[in-house]
Amino acid sequence: MIAKSTAAMTTRAETREELSRVSYDLLVIGGGILGTSVTWMAAQAGLRVAMVDAGDFAGATSSASSKLVHGGLRYLQTGNVKLVAENHRERRALAGDIAPHLVKPLTFVVPIYRGGPHGAAKLGAGVFLYSALSVFGDGVGKVITPQQAQARVPALKMDGLRSAAVYGDHQMNDSRVAVMTVRAAVDAGATVLNHAEVVGLRKTGATVTGAELRDRLDGGEFGVSARLVLNATGPWIDHLRRMEDPGAEPSIRLSKGAHLVLRRHEPWKAALTIPIDKYRVSFAIPWEDHLLLGTTDEPYEGDPAEVRPTEADITQILDEAGHAVLGSQLGRDDITYSFAGLRVLPGGPGQVTAAKRETVLTRGTGGMLSVAGGKWTTYRHIGRVVLDTLAHLPGHPLGDDLADVLPAVPLPGLASPDAVAMRLWTERDPDARMDPLVARHLASHYGSIAFDLARLIRDDPGLGERIHPDGPDIWAQAVYARDHEWAVTVDDVVRRRTTLTVRGLDTPSVRERVAAILAR
């Protein structure tokens, strides 16, 4: 199948017509971590694949992460060395070959307080082993003095601080990684549509062979036919399973994780991993020029669409951050944004905090595959595993001639952010140069695709203006999101194609002007 370039992205009407007309090998329902990864891998394997999502791509649980690409230091405590090593392999691939323009190194400090749950010897050994499993790619994990820790994190509480452990990991903006993954899938030949809700399943006899959908923007209804349907709807997985079989038993349970974003009073050179008790940690992470705090972990049984941070969540997150961060840095007036998402865990007894973060894969009575339980660090690996499972199903519904998926296909925009930022800044006359902060922002969120935005600004200099004076996002991003990144609602732009919402800058006037841009 000939790949479609997002440079000439089809309209929603054209996409709906194509989805209705073409018979696909695979229909992926759900455009979160798992759905986008499987779609990308399936397209690389030569399958005719379609992906739909009831909301925006990665707009629910997949946008509510801690923004980390990490090995999982706490897994060492449970002895899961194999999992940590696997995580590190994927982290190195993302940071080195797949998305170095989106995944950035970050140092973490673990404060060790008098009377705390862990001692210096144990944590020192832990971070050394952790760095060894990453082949020392981020330096050697070690124990440092309180003064050295404070130099990295100026807001660190010093009272009772005996020492600190330090190690390396990575972070990213999950929304940008999601959009670039969707773009990579489309470039490989996939057909995608967001804001398209499944209202029923198509069946041929007793076998699921597609889905009936409703466009949430205009109410238009259409259908998609496919040889195989993959249910990757995350917290809604059992809802879709019951469309296939009204008697289907629950396969998952949900755990809520909430986060806060606060204004940062001074630069941090490192993040904090804060031990709360013997098993739990909380994070305080410099992110998007702000401070990201979290996360919680508690059972959730409500409507997944209604999940949001409660007052109790906010209090808990601030209190836990207060174990290691000065109270002057944790004022409620500094909160610019709060969000919550749902982890999908295997069904069964026990506390959600002790449940394994593993992928759940089931096949229903109508042949529909349901998969849940992904995470950003290993999303490519999980996508490959799921595709391999689909390829070896009894009867081989996808055929026998799938191409091998290449091990390290980069996401669009692959480039050095430093080099991109320098070019953005220098390739204009000195009196018309781009603001260096804007150049850095575009380079680290788009990679070489930032040059496409620069061309928009050359054609219309007004698009180079900041959307809000207190943030680096510019109007060219809104136009580009509309024309090349499937943004069709104001939230698509302000929450997930830019950083306006997380910075608390999506004012009514900003939202009104974004709506006007989308209407064009």
Side-chain angles (χ1 to χ4, degrees):
M1 184 175 179
I2 297 174
K4 301 182 294 297
S5 170
T6 49
M9 198 174 77
T10 55
T11 66
R12 287 184 68 82
E14 291 169 334
T15 300
R16 274 170 44 175
E17 191 277 331
E18 181 176 355
L19 288 168
S20 301
R21 173 177 47 84
V22 174
S23 181
Y24 291 91
D25 297 315
L26 177 66
L27 169 61
V28 178
I29 302 172
I33 292 172
L34 273 172
T36 55
S37 179
V38 173
T39 300
W40 184 24
M41 298 300 159
Q44 290 181 54
L47 292 176
R48 193 179 293 264
V49 56
M51 179 180 73
V52 296
D53 193 284
D56 190 20
F57 301 126
T61 289
S62 298
S63 67
S65 76
S66 296
K67 322 301 181 188
L68 297 179
V69 179
H70 63 142
L73 179 64
R74 68 186 183 88
Y75 296 133
L76 288 181
Q77 197 167 348
T78 59
N80 204 335
V81 175
K82 181 180 178 182
L83 177 61
V84 175
E86 175 188 289
N87 289 351
H88 274 312
R89 280 195 300 274
E90 280 298 301
R91 182 179 63 81
R92 289 197 302 275
L94 285 170
D97 302 317
I98 311 300
H101 52 311
L102 304 173
V103 177
K104 307 167 183 65
L106 181 64
T107 300
F108 281 76
V109 170
V110 189
I112 303 167
Y113 289 100
R114 188 178 299 110
H118 305 295
K122 177 182 178 181
L123 276 176
V127 296
F128 180 83
L129 174 59
Y130 189 73
S131 59
L133 290 170
S134 72
V135 199
F136 300 109
D138 298 296
V140 179
K142 58 186 178 182
V143 174
I144 59 176
T145 67
Q147 291 72 30
Q148 290 171 322
Q150 188 182 40
R152 291 169 169 84
V153 183
L156 182 64
K157 271 187 175 178
M158 298 297 286
D159 187 29
L161 184 65
R162 302 179 65 179
S163 57
V166 62
Y167 64 97
D169 256 326
H170 285 73
Q171 71 173 167
M172 47 93 182
N173 182 308
D174 48 17
S175 294
R176 294 305 311 165
V177 172
V179 168
M180 292 299 188
T181 304
V182 175
R183 180 166 177 157
V186 171
D187 286 346
T191 303
V192 303
L193 188 67
N194 54 356
H195 300 287
E197 177 184 12
V198 171
V199 294
L201 296 176
R202 288 186 167 182
K203 290 188 177 182
T204 301
T207 303
V208 175
T209 54
E212 305 294 341
L213 296 109
R214 178 188 300 119
D215 191 323
R216 283 185 160 180
L217 299 188
D218 63 10
E221 297 191 353
F222 62 102
V224 183
S225 295
R227 293 159 65 184
L228 189 65
V229 175
L230 180 68
N231 169 16
T233 54
W236 292 271
I237 187 172
D238 285 336
H239 171 72
L240 213 64
R241 290 177 64 245
R242 285 189 289 272
M243 283 189 183
E244 177 188 32
D245 175 9
E249 293 292 328
S251 64
I252 61 165
R253 52 188 173 145
L254 302 175
S255 167
K256 184 177 78 169
H259 293 80
L260 303 178
V261 181
L262 287 78
R263 296 181 191 88
R264 202 174 60 200
H265 293 263
E266 54 191 328
W268 288 29
K269 296 179 181 178
L272 287 177
T273 299
I274 306 169
I276 302 302
D277 54 36
K278 188 176 179 181
Y279 298 102
R280 280 197 67 241
V281 300
S282 189
F283 292 111
I285 303 169
W287 181 72
E288 299 293 2
D289 306 318
H290 283 59
L291 189 63
L292 177 66
L293 304 180
T295 179
T296 60
D297 194 353
E298 61 183 30
Y300 184 84
E301 297 180 353
D303 182 347
E306 298 299 321
V307 65
R308 56 182 47 87
T310 64
E311 181 61 29
D313 293 329
I314 294 171
T315 298
Q316 176 186 340
I317 292 170
L318 291 175
D319 286 349
E320 291 182 349
H323 288 201
V325 180
L326 292 172
S328 59
Q329 308 293 307
L330 300 174
R332 285 178 176 253
D333 291 344
D334 286 325
I335 298 174
T336 60
Y337 185 52
S338 62
F339 60 91
L342 296 171
R343 306 175 188 91
V344 179
L345 306 172
Q351 297 293 317
V352 294
T353 52
K356 291 184 178 180
R357 266 55 170 176
E358 60 187 23
T359 304
V360 180
L361 183 64
T362 59
R363 192 172 193 187
T365 56
M368 181 175 71
L369 268 292
S370 295
V371 60
K375 59 182 178 180
W376 279 116
T377 300
T378 55
Y379 85 113
R380 290 185 325 123
H381 171 72
I382 295 171
R384 288 194 299 267
V385 169
V386 172
L387 179 62
D388 185 65
T389 301
L390 300 181
H392 292 91
L393 289 172
H396 294 269
L398 296 180
D400 298 312
D401 57 348
L402 273 67
D404 291 333
V405 176
L406 297 174
V409 176
L411 291 181
L414 179 71
S416 161
D418 290 337
V420 170
M422 182 59 69
R423 275 189 57 190
L424 288 172
W425 186 70
T426 58
E427 286 191 348
R428 300 181 72 179
D429 294 334
D431 59 347
R433 280 182 172 169
M434 184 179 290
D435 183 321
L437 292 178
V438 171
R440 165 59 57 184
H441 174 73
L442 296 181
S444 61
H445 288 73
Y446 296 84
S448 64
I449 293 172
F451 300 128
D452 294 341
L453 280 80
R455 282 187 282 274
L456 290 176
I457 297 168
R458 280 197 291 271
D459 293 339
D460 181 355
L463 295 180
E465 296 177 4
R466 295 192 189 207
I467 297 175
H468 191 287
D470 294 338
D473 294 292
I474 57 175
W475 288 110
Q477 292 175 255
V479 171
Y480 193 84
R482 177 196 67 195
D483 294 343
H484 301 285
E485 294 184 342
W486 304 277
V488 291
T489 73
V490 172
D491 271 352
D492 291 350
V493 174
V494 299
R495 277 194 61 207
R496 291 176 291 276
R497 306 304 188 279
T498 67
T499 63
L500 291 162
T501 295
V502 298
R503 297 174 188 270
L505 305 178
D506 56 341
T507 63
S509 62
V510 164
R511 295 180 72 91
E512 182 179 353
R513 185 169 171 187
V514 168
I517 288 174
L518 292 173
R520 296 173 202 158

